[in-house]
Amino acid sequence: MERKQASRRQRLAIFGFVLSLVTFIGASVSIMLIHILAAPYTGPAIDDWDASELDASGLEVLGRYAAAVLWINIAGTVLGVAALVIAIRSRKSGLLWIPTIVLALLAPVVCFIPSIWMFGAAY
């Protein structure tokens, strides 16, 4: 019975690690890709401090990119919190919970600067 619970905890720890890895890589790469795609719209909107630099269609496109970044941040937060909870619950099953926590906490830090840049350009 004890061995079965240890095996279950180990599988839970592996699932938490994979979830935090997917969250870290998925959110970071997605936000960086959107940031690259939105570069023609963010430069004029931020550098000039003048909203009239972009026409209405450019502001609409930039708003859609900002909304995508917002949803990626929300999804990443939900998955990161789930990974943290799993890591805390599985801390007795070995040392896999440490990189799980590190990756789950590092993802928002990596995504913070591009997100602020995008939201600053859009609003």
Side-chain angles (χ1 to χ4, degrees), residues 25-48:
I25 293 172
S28 302
V29 169
S30 298
I31 287 180
M32 294 299 174
L33 180 65
I34 290 174
H35 185 66
I36 290 169
L37 291 173
Y41 303 102
T42 57
I46 291 177
D47 294 339
D48 239 1

Side-chain angles (χ1 to χ4, degrees), residues 39-55:
Y41 303 102
T42 57
I46 291 177
D47 294 339
D48 239 1
W49 296 101
D50 185 13
S52 65
E53 188 70 28
L54 289 175
D55 58 352

Side-chain angles (χ1 to χ4, degrees), residues 23 26-28 30-31 34 62-80 111 114-115 118-119 123:
T23 301
S28 302
S30 298
I31 287 180
I34 290 174
L62 186 60
R64 289 183 183 181
Y65 283 137
V69 167
L70 174 69
W71 283 109
I72 290 169
N73 280 323
I74 290 171
T77 300
V78 169
L79 293 175
C111 297
S115 297
M118 182 67 66
F119 293 140
Y123 299 108

Side-chain angles (χ1 to χ4, degrees), residues 56-122:
S57 63
L59 287 173
E60 182 181 344
V61 170
L62 186 60
R64 289 183 183 181
Y65 283 137
V69 167
L70 174 69
W71 283 109
I72 290 169
N73 280 323
I74 290 171
T77 300
V78 169
L79 293 175
V81 168
L84 285 174
V85 169
I86 290 171
I88 291 169
R89 298 250 323 148
S90 64
R91 68 181 181 272
K92 294 179 182 177
S93 64
L95 295 177
L96 196 57
W97 64 279
I98 295 171
T100 302
I101 289 177
V102 169
L103 285 175
L105 293 176
L106 196 60
V109 173
V110 170
C111 297
F112 181 71
I113 299 298
S115 297
I116 295 300
W117 181 265
M118 182 67 66
F119 293 140

